[in-house]
Amino acid sequence: MTESKKIGVTEVVLRDAHQSLLATRFRYHDMEAALKDLDDIGFWSVESWGGAIFDSCIRYLGEDPWERIKKIKSMMPNTPQQMLLRGQNLLGYKHYSDDVVKKFVECSKENGVDVFRVFDALNDPRNMHQAIQSVIAVEGHAQGTISYTTSPVHTIDLWVGLAKNIQDMGAHSLAIKDMAGLLKPYVAFELVSRLKEELEIPIHMHCHATTGMSVATGVKAIEAGLDNVDTSISSMSMTYGHTPTETLISILGGTNRETGLDLEKLTPIAEHFQKVRKKYKNFEGSLRGVDARILASQVPGGMLTNLENQLKAQDSIDRFDEVINEIPKVREDLGYIPLVTPTSQIVGTQSVINILSGSRYSTVTNEVKSLLKGEYGATPASVNKDLQQEGIGDSAVITCRPADLLSDDFQSIEAEFINVIAEKNITAEPSIENVLIYAMFPEIGLNYIENIDNPDYFESEPLEITELTDSSYLVVVDDHEYSVTLRADYSVTINDGSLINEVASAPSIQSGTGIVIEAPLGGNIFRTIASEGESVEADSTVLILEAMKMETEIKAPSPGVIGTIFVKPGDTVKPGAPLFEIKS
Ligand code: CO
């Protein structure tokens, strides 16, 4: 610490903090009151947008994600807005063609994004290239990213090589993204020292607090010359989230690396988020302190809360520990890929299937097959060859940049969108924003656009609830207070006696002479492939279930004729729900 140089701070409360702590459920109107205060602090940037925000807005909240960033930007004229972009995957789960990447970046810049943190889940620099070039072209700040992980192949030299590659692409800065809190303080010191020696662009760092190391890691990295650090306001910090902003400001106060930020001005912001956080308590994960199991499983904070919620939806929260233990095995089989969206979801869902089905890889998701095929890019180490053979058979493995196989297709997506909305009689503008919503999330995006004016379609807003006694609560709806009693059967009565939440029992299905195939996981029926009365071979796909954001093919266990199909596309099914009948 020889020269005196202020450290820049990126505040992440508007994006990653509620993604990690509250499954990305914050609504815009619960942030709005804090935006002016946040704008006055002098942060290097505020992270406010990203894939999970976009997804949550259209899937659950019924909010226009483009409107959100536009409004935040207009409320915060003095602070650069930062987004997290999944390289060639943009905000989705597959690779997009280069012209779609370009359009997306242009549109995001126009709507208010200034800083683009571009990463690739496999750390394949070829997958960051187009996004970085597109950001440079619209005069945004292009930040390339190392998605930090540990494995026998991940050495400091490997990271420095990747970082140089990113600098050579023209990136304005580099981020070390430690999504699972695995970066140890002394390793960070070494890593940042080496990067400062060999790179000219500024180094930023993003660490999750889940393993308890983030504060120390931040301090050691700053001692090594780090330029910028990510933190989150105290009342939305730690556990699955990040180092508290105020803590870091205090630690550095009076040193030659101080932040120059005013602690007192942060108090009303902390108070605001402390208050609104209560409303979202049903989305909180169970972690109260530190989860040391992550040092082995490497599951990032955001994924842990999601995994818990998803296992709850599968009625299988009791299998949580088994799933956590399965994750390192699946990750090794897939070439030690880092766990970050979408690979965290791909590895997580496959691990859930391995555990819930009681048999490892008896069902392999389409996304795992794509990964084995090289469709996501190069994995850090070789994949398990037996699994690869089983998953993709003799089809050729892709070794080029995956997007080179895609032809430019923004126009065809646009034409398809115009067609689909005409066919379904949906009133919507074919604006670039809407076409991009459809491009990112074809099913959910279209449902969102169709239901923009139908709030009942989306998740209802959490109520402000005050606990009075063990079974009695005070609930506020539109400024009216209701006292409610929770009954033993978990239905709820309001004080006037009306029932607001009746526990439904599953419908029973009469099966004929065939075998009834049940849903291995809860989810939505994405597509039916075979029809009633059709003869099928063993192992042929009958329908596709979308569960935990991944596609799972449900196959015929033996040759036969398809009897009744109990479900149709769009249906929501619980685990164990009958899907179809097969007669021999
Ligand atoms: Co993060």
Side-chain angles (χ1 to χ4, degrees):
M1 289 215 284
T2 45
E3 59 180 318
S4 177
K5 186 176 173 291
K6 272 190 185 147
I7 178 106
V9 179
T10 293
E11 167 62 55
V12 301
V13 66
L14 302 184
R15 199 283 296 180
D16 202 356
H18 69 107
Q19 177 172 339
S20 299
L21 299 172
L22 307 166
T24 333
R25 286 313 203 284
F26 263 10
R27 287 160 193 261
Y28 170 76
H29 65 82
D30 283 328
M31 307 172 176
E32 194 174 30
L35 297 182
K36 283 250 173 285
D37 289 339
L38 280 166
D39 194 36
D40 285 344
I41 301 297
F43 290 118
W44 185 85
S45 67
V46 166
E47 193 196 39
S48 48
W49 220 51
I53 294 269
F54 204 94
D55 186 328
S56 179
C57 277
I58 62 171
R59 192 186 291 261
Y60 304 119
L61 309 181
E63 243 185 68
D64 184 337
W66 297 103
E67 279 298 312
R68 178 182 290 198
I69 184 64
K70 229 196 261 176
K71 282 189 272 189
I72 293 176
K73 179 69 187 170
S74 72
M75 294 285 288
M76 302 182 70
N78 304 311
T79 310
Q81 296 302 311
Q82 183 170 321
M83 81 167 293
L84 183 63
L85 187 69
R86 301 169 191 161
Q88 204 76 24
N89 294 344
L90 296 175
L91 303 182
Y93 301 100
K94 61 167 194 179
H95 283 271
Y96 289 91
S97 65
D98 289 339
D99 73 325
V100 177
V101 173
K102 237 169 107 185
K103 271 270 189 277
F104 183 86
V105 168
E106 278 167 20
C107 193
S108 303
K109 180 75 168 55
E110 256 166 48
N111 279 282
V113 177
D114 302 293
V115 179
F116 295 75
R117 177 173 288 169
V118 178
F119 76 97
D120 175 62
L122 302 190
N123 281 319
D124 185 336
R126 300 171 304 173
N127 294 336
M128 296 184 231
H129 186 264
Q130 180 60 50
I132 288 175
Q133 299 318 311
S134 304
V135 175
I136 294 170
V138 294
E139 295 179 356
H141 180 104
Q143 184 172 88
T145 306
I146 288 173
S147 294
Y148 184 78
T149 187
T150 61
S151 83
V153 299
H154 288 96
T155 59
I156 299 266
D157 283 340
L158 180 144
W159 296 126
V160 172
L162 174 61
K164 281 179 167 173
N165 203 327
I166 287 168
Q167 177 174 276
D168 289 345
M169 285 183 210
H172 301 113
S173 60
L174 177 86
I176 303 165
K177 175 178 163 64
D178 175 24
M179 52 280 174
L182 298 169
L183 182 54
K184 298 178 184 181
Y186 293 94
V187 178
F189 185 86
E190 197 190 338
L191 177 60
V192 173
S193 299
R194 280 284 306 279
L195 291 171
K196 287 307 289 178
E197 266 166 46
E198 305 202 31
L199 257 65
E200 273 136 43
I201 55 176
I203 315 293
H204 292 227
M205 195 172 78
H206 174 93
C207 290
H208 282 258
T210 335
T211 58
M213 299 195 290
S214 69
V215 178
T217 300
V219 169
K220 290 304 288 181
I222 290 165
E223 281 181 12
L226 189 78
D227 299 279
N228 264 270
V229 66
D230 287 17
T231 59
S232 187
I233 195 80
S234 55
S235 54
M236 287 285 289
S237 70
M238 301 306 274
T239 64
Y240 309 94
H242 314 80
T243 294
T245 307
E246 298 94 315
T247 302
L248 205 87
I249 293 174
S250 298
I251 290 173
L252 298 173
T255 73
N256 59 355
R257 297 304 314 275
E258 62 188 346
T259 59
L261 305 183
D262 184 347
L263 263 183
E264 270 177 39
K265 282 167 81 177
L266 289 162
T267 310
I269 302 170
E271 281 171 2
H272 170 82
F273 285 106
Q274 182 177 29
K275 187 164 162 267
V276 292
R277 181 173 180 169
K278 288 184 188 145
K279 198 173 133 179
Y280 295 94
K281 72 172 186 181
N282 284 344
F283 297 105
E284 299 254 7
S286 58
L287 187 61
R288 290 295 172 264
V290 159
D291 195 336
R293 292 172 305 179
I294 293 157
L295 291 166
S297 71
Q298 305 215 358
V299 182
M303 167 129 215
L304 274 176
T305 29
N306 266 328
L307 205 56
E308 277 187 22
N309 279 326
Q310 286 165 337
L311 279 171
K312 271 183 213 158
Q314 303 290 342
D315 293 331
S316 303
I317 192 65
D318 55 321
R319 312 295 297 271
F320 185 72
D321 288 353
E322 286 170 81
V323 171
I324 290 291
N325 291 332
E326 178 70 3
I327 285 171
K329 169 69 185 147
V330 174
R331 176 173 174 255
E332 185 183 339
D333 288 339
L334 297 176
Y336 291 117
I337 50 177
L339 295 182
V340 62
T341 312
T343 47
S344 52
Q345 195 66 37
I346 295 172
V347 172
T349 302
Q350 188 61 52
S351 302
V352 169
I353 292 173
N354 285 359
I355 295 300
L356 297 194
S357 69
S359 148
R360 188 177 278 160
Y361 303 127
S362 59
T363 301
V364 175
T365 65
N366 285 349
E367 287 79 5
V368 166
K369 288 178 193 165
S370 298
L371 224 147
L372 294 167
K373 207 167 176 242
E375 285 175 5
Y376 287 91
T379 52
S382 310
V383 299
N384 177 331
K385 293 294 173 203
D386 292 341
L387 175 61
Q388 190 177 40
Q389 174 65 32
E390 205 174 299
I392 67 167
D394 293 325
S395 45
V397 175
I398 295 164
T399 55
C400 66
R401 185 184 76 117
D404 285 340
L405 301 171
L406 305 169
S407 48
D408 285 1
D409 69 352
F410 183 80
Q411 279 185 336
S412 60
I413 296 172
E414 191 175 35
E416 189 185 301
F417 177 71
I418 292 169
N419 253 333
V420 171
I421 57 174
E423 240 169 56
K424 297 201 165 189
N425 232 339
I426 301 171
T427 333
E429 287 296 315
S431 61
I432 293 179
E433 283 85 352
N434 277 341
V435 175
L436 287 168
I437 289 175
Y438 176 67
M440 297 304 114
F441 300 94
E443 308 269 319
I444 291 145
L446 203 62
N447 289 344
Y448 160 75
I449 289 168
E450 191 174 4
N451 289 285
I452 286 172
D453 298 320
N454 173 19
D456 292 344
Y457 178 81
F458 302 100
E459 207 169 80
S460 51
E461 184 160 357
L463 306 169
E464 282 172 49
I465 294 175
T466 313
E467 210 164 319
L468 299 176
T469 68
D470 267 358
S471 62
S472 162
Y473 298 84
L474 188 68
V475 178
V476 183
V477 183
D478 291 337
D479 292 334
H480 296 286
E481 289 186 353
Y482 300 88
S483 130
V484 298
T485 309
L486 189 63
R487 299 197 319 225
D489 61 357
Y490 294 102
S491 61
V492 174
T493 44
I494 294 190
N495 48 8
D496 67 356
S498 61
L499 198 62
I500 60 169
N501 175 24
E502 204 166 353
V503 180
S505 57
S508 65
I509 299 279
Q510 295 290 322
S511 73
T513 51
I515 313 165
V516 174
I517 306 303
E518 298 174 343
L521 294 168
N524 296 306
I525 303 301
F526 182 62
R527 192 171 293 155
T528 46
I529 306 287
S531 34
E532 292 181 359
E534 192 178 323
S535 297
V536 292
E537 300 294 316
D539 255 5
S540 53
T541 304
V542 178
L543 52 87
I544 299 176
L545 175 72
E546 195 218 41
M548 301 174 62
K549 298 184 186 172
M550 298 290 131
E551 292 173 17
T552 301
E553 291 173 355
I554 310 297
K555 297 178 170 191
S558 53
V561 175
I562 302 294
T564 311
I565 298 180
F566 303 110
V567 291
K568 59 181 188 313
D571 283 359
T572 303
V573 293
K574 288 231 161 216
L579 298 177
F580 61 89
E581 190 185 16
I582 183 158
K583 299 172 183 172
S584 46

